[in-house]
Amino acid sequence: RFCDWSSDVCSSDLPDNRENINYFTTGPDMVVNFGAATALTLSGRYSDTNYETSDLDNEVYGGALALARELSGKSTVSVNLVGERTEFADTTVNTDYDRYQAFLRYAVRGFRTDLTLDGGYTELDIDNEKSDGMLARLSLVRRMSTASSLTLRAGTQFSNTGDLFRDDQSAQGVRLDTASVIGTSDPFENRFGSLAYDFGRNRTSFGFSVQYSEEDYETDTSFNRNLMTYGGYFSRQLSRDLDWRLYAQWSKEEFDESGFEDDELQAGTYLNWRVGRVVSLRLQYDRYDRPVLDRKSVV
């Protein structure tokens, strides 16, 4: 996703600013137990991001150490150290950088509530120029009944384009539609929050969500933006092998320096037929609605 302020092109659904991106990550975890309540976890990670046309291909090498103590059968506290280096294939237009995190994590899993809370320090090192700040993350899942749940996420951290793709796929699964991500090698400070409600019983399920994020880029501040997204869905199991789903999502983004604003409405429906155990046929319709782009004057 790219923005050209001179031509007012800043969209996720035009042929001249779309491209395929492949993201791959792998790595081992080693756990060493010290008694029944204490464990040390050592992790290594390698990630590879490849862009179809942009000169943003990069590799990430990282490692993590976590010392955890079980406070009870349902709660754990841990000390975590994380470090990673991002190296670009083309360093003539991109700059390699390092990212570090040191934080405490408290996690509890109750009968109806799951809570994970991170708090600590984070640092970004770009060509020996350092930025640092607070790291905070909250994840709260409340099972309101046997059929419904409420999920709250919030936090602030340094992030990058690869993180946004991974978080989006973790939350919503792998999708064919475009993601609202800016194609840039520049890391940024990401402040985010989301609230989602889901209901599912027998053959009917539905839900809605609202998400907000604020991105402050380290080098190219023209990309600084606020993004608000609302979404909802309704699905019905029509028979053992046939299900139907209706969904919609509206998003609005605002770029701070240029005053550029953009709205997008996506709505769709599909009918899915499971022909066999491993084969299914899907009839799907999607519609995207984008109004005339608006550039507001900035004083």
Side-chain angles (χ1 to χ4, degrees):
R1 172 134 195 230
F2 302 91
C3 297
D4 181 357
W5 308 124
S6 62
S7 61
D8 279 343
V9 174
C10 188
S11 162
S12 60
D13 269 315
L14 292 178
D16 57 356
N17 66 1
R18 293 183 59 175
E19 64 180 296
N20 292 322
I21 297 175
N22 293 318
Y23 179 82
F24 170 80
T25 186
T26 186
D29 294 328
M30 182 179 70
V31 180
V32 180
N33 293 313
F34 299 97
T38 304
L40 178 68
T41 302
L42 299 174
S43 303
R45 289 293 181 270
Y46 167 79
S47 301
D48 185 27
T49 306
N50 289 293
Y51 290 74
E52 182 182 10
T53 57
S54 304
D55 297 326
L56 300 174
D57 295 355
N58 65 82
E59 296 177 312
V60 179
Y61 305 88
L65 182 149
L67 180 62
R69 175 72 177 180
E70 190 174 297
L71 302 179
S72 67
K74 297 181 179 180
S75 62
T76 304
V77 64
S78 62
V79 179
N80 299 264
L81 301 175
V82 181
E84 64 179 31
R85 177 165 182 79
T86 300
E87 297 183 350
F88 293 92
D90 187 353
T91 56
T92 60
V93 295
N94 305 297
T95 304
D96 299 340
Y97 61 88
D98 302 314
R99 181 170 54 169
Y100 306 100
Q101 298 178 356
F103 59 93
L104 291 174
R105 168 169 293 177
Y106 175 73
V108 58
R109 183 176 180 85
F111 178 70
R112 303 183 67 176
T113 303
D114 297 338
L115 171 67
T116 302
L117 183 62
D118 297 342
Y121 169 82
T122 182
E123 181 181 272
L124 196 64
D125 187 346
I126 307 176
D127 199 19
N128 294 323
E129 294 187 6
K130 297 182 180 181
S131 299
D132 58 7
M134 178 183 68
L135 181 145
R137 290 187 291 252
L138 167 69
S139 176
L140 176 65
V141 179
R142 175 68 175 177
R143 289 173 287 277
M144 305 174 67
S145 68
T146 57
S148 62
S149 64
L150 196 65
T151 303
L152 173 67
R153 294 180 65 248
T156 177
Q157 61 185 7
F158 285 122
S159 191
N160 55 38
T161 299
D163 288 343
L164 295 187
F165 278 113
R166 181 175 61 246
D167 293 343
D168 181 67
Q169 291 191 357
S170 297
Q172 304 186 45
V174 178
R175 302 174 299 161
L176 295 178
D177 55 307
T178 57
S180 183
V181 176
I182 297 177
T184 176
S185 62
D186 198 10
F188 54 90
E189 184 179 0
N190 185 22
R191 291 177 288 275
F192 62 90
S194 66
L195 181 65
Y197 173 81
D198 293 281
F199 176 90
R201 176 178 292 173
N202 299 329
R203 293 166 33 175
T204 301
S205 62
F206 63 87
F208 60 85
S209 63
V210 57
Q211 303 176 47
Y212 173 79
S213 66
E214 181 179 338
E215 301 169 7
D216 291 333
Y217 287 79
E218 287 297 304
T219 304
D220 192 347
T221 57
S222 66
F223 287 131
N224 291 356
R225 66 168 182 168
N226 301 324
L227 177 65
M228 178 70 76
T229 303
Y230 300 90
Y233 70 91
F234 176 86
S235 62
R236 176 73 175 175
Q237 190 75 33
L238 303 177
S239 68
R240 186 182 64 178
D241 300 321
L242 192 66
D243 62 274
W244 170 69
R245 189 179 182 93
L246 177 69
Y247 50 89
Q249 178 176 287
W250 179 79
S251 60
K252 180 181 181 64
E253 62 181 343
E254 300 177 352
F255 289 84
D256 296 341
E257 290 194 4
S258 66
F260 182 90
E261 294 186 1
D262 188 25
D263 299 345
E264 181 173 279
L265 174 64
Q266 175 195 357
T269 184
Y270 68 73
L271 192 65
N272 192 68
W273 176 34
R274 284 181 291 278
V275 181
R277 290 195 307 171
V278 295
V279 178
S280 64
L281 296 176
R282 175 177 292 189
L283 178 64
Q284 182 169 336
Y285 172 81
D286 287 292
R287 177 177 175 82
Y288 296 87
D289 185 17
R290 306 187 69 252
V292 177
L293 302 182
D294 175 38
R295 179 205 290 269
K296 287 188 174 182
S297 60
V298 178
V299 179

